Amino acid sequence: MVSELRSVRDITQSIQGENCEAFKAKYSEMSLLLDYIIYLHISFFLICSEKFISKENEKKKPKIEIEVSQRMSYLTLMLTHLTNSLVSIRILVERGLDIQSKQIFRSYIEYSDISIAILGSTEFYNHYKQMGESEELDKKIWFKFIRPAALTKTLKNIYSNYADDKDIWDTVQNIRNPVYQRLSDYTHGHYMAVFTSSFTEGQGSTLLGRVNENIHNTMLNTIVYSYMFLKHSMVMIVQHQKIPFLQFGDEGLAYIKYYKLLELYFPTFIKRHAPSRPNL
């Protein structure tokens, strides 16, 4: 039994090694960009955590500032899961586990949508923070605010007042809807999604992982959506929470500088890998 388990381990490690080498050969630019976006998520978490998670001197702050701090503390918690999701996706795609990375990416979209709703809608936040008080209340809040149709309505209202860009909601929808719908097929075991993801043309079964062209789309969509979240959440913090990044100190200014590097490079990346994508 032990020798059989060792054989399985050896086979698994051999396949994973082959997948890692194939991944490096095909997706080096994408992986570096995703690594950079993960770094920005970590930095975002750190500057928010330092400023808003600490309860020191909270009672001395004006009421409005306490309320903002509490809301931002929720964002910090969400950033924990968003960052861990990106790290998980990065590990899984390198090992050729595309479907599993897609399932986690769907979770990333849902968490990022809730994060934007927390920042942009006081009504949403006031109800969301009541979850956990009772099962009955949780069901009511989920149905009225968090289920996909209700959350989409909240996001539409938020984006209708987004900076000076009146077309932003259409852009968000054009990016989000087709990706989310397809990811739902993989998460809920749609027949064709299960069938097509079990094999790779010319390479056979995807058992234990297989680096193939499907990973390109997963990586691309993850990069686009996570960049969009970083960009929009920053606007929400300044516009809705009235917190200029100067208040984050030197770390906040450094974060803006590193984000701007991403913003400058991103159009070049999109032209190279997805020229038909809408302008973010």
Side-chain angles (χ1 to χ4, degrees):
M1 183 68 176
V2 173
S3 61
E4 291 173 349
L5 289 175
R6 286 175 177 169
S7 297
V8 171
R9 182 193 62 190
D10 291 342
I11 293 171
T12 302
Q13 289 178 344
S14 175
I15 292 175
Q16 288 181 350
E18 292 175 4
N19 282 327
C20 288
E21 289 303 315
F23 181 84
K24 290 177 183 177
K26 291 184 177 181
Y27 303 115
S28 58
E29 181 186 13
M30 281 189 167
S31 63
L32 285 172
L33 184 55
L34 183 55
D35 287 344
Y36 191 76
I37 290 174
I38 290 172
Y39 165 76
L40 287 175
H41 276 67
I42 295 171
S43 299
F44 198 4
F45 166 83
L46 291 174
I47 62 175
C48 288
S49 177
E50 183 176 344
K51 187 169 181 63
F52 298 109
I53 292 295
S54 174
K55 300 299 182 182
E56 184 179 354
N57 297 324
E58 187 174 83
K59 293 182 179 180
K60 298 180 181 179
K61 298 177 182 178
K63 184 178 180 180
I64 184 65
E65 189 174 342
I66 292 175
E67 291 176 355
V68 170
S69 294
Q70 290 173 344
R71 190 182 301 204
M72 290 295 296
S73 71
Y74 270 88
L75 173 66
T76 307
L77 299 179
M78 299 299 282
L79 282 167
T80 300
H81 298 289
L82 290 168
T83 304
N84 288 345
S85 291
L86 290 182
V87 171
S88 299
I89 292 169
R90 175 67 174 82
I91 293 170
L92 289 169
V93 292
E94 187 173 22
R95 285 158 175 74
L97 298 168
D98 182 55
I99 301 308
Q100 289 66 38
S101 64
K102 282 180 165 64
Q103 292 166 345
I104 294 176
F105 178 37
R106 183 177 183 268
S107 175
Y108 178 93
I109 291 175
E110 293 175 343
Y111 273 82
S112 62
D113 286 349
I114 292 174
S115 298
I116 294 296
I118 287 172
L119 290 173
S121 171
T122 299
E123 182 184 19
F124 178 90
Y125 168 71
N126 286 338
H127 285 86
Y128 179 76
K129 69 180 182 180
Q130 295 178 43
M131 294 192 76
E133 294 184 5
S134 71
E135 185 176 348
E136 182 180 357
L137 182 61
D138 284 358
K139 290 179 179 178
K140 290 181 179 178
I141 294 173
W142 179 87
F143 185 82
K144 188 173 181 180
F145 293 97
I146 300 175
R147 66 188 175 96
L151 184 55
T152 297
K153 183 178 179 181
T154 296
L155 292 173
K156 182 178 180 180
N157 291 334
I158 292 170
Y159 278 109
S160 66
N161 297 309
Y162 179 93
D164 296 321
D165 189 348
K166 301 305 178 184
D167 298 323
I168 187 64
W169 176 242
D170 290 337
T171 300
V172 171
Q173 289 288 84
N174 288 337
I175 293 172
R176 182 190 187 279
N177 288 353
V179 173
Y180 188 81
Q181 182 176 354
R182 186 59 175 157
L183 293 175
S184 296
D185 290 344
Y186 292 110
T187 302
H188 297 300
H190 186 280
Y191 173 77
M192 287 306 298
V194 172
F195 182 80
T196 58
S197 64
S198 298
F199 302 95
T200 297
E201 185 176 353
Q203 293 180 298
S205 173
T206 58
L207 180 67
L208 300 180
R210 184 73 65 177
V211 172
N212 54 40
E213 293 304 316
N214 293 329
I215 285 181
H216 176 276
N217 290 330
T218 303
M219 291 278 286
L220 178 63
N221 289 325
T222 300
I223 288 169
V224 169
Y225 211 90
S226 56
Y227 167 74
M228 185 170 71
F229 166 73
L230 289 175
K231 180 177 182 177
H232 295 175
S233 60
M234 290 170 62
V235 173
M236 298 296 171
I237 288 173
V238 175
Q239 180 175 327
H240 290 275
Q241 302 309 309
K242 310 300 181 185
I243 306 172
F245 269 73
L246 287 171
Q247 289 192 20
F248 290 91
D250 292 340
E251 292 80 5
L253 294 177
Y255 175 81
I256 292 295
K257 179 178 70 174
Y258 292 126
Y259 167 79
K260 284 295 184 182
L261 292 175
L262 173 64
E263 191 173 58
L264 288 171
Y265 172 71
F266 200 76
T268 301
F269 172 81
I270 290 297
K271 285 180 181 179
R272 185 176 299 136
H273 294 279
S276 62
R277 286 276 181 174
N279 182 16
L280 293 177

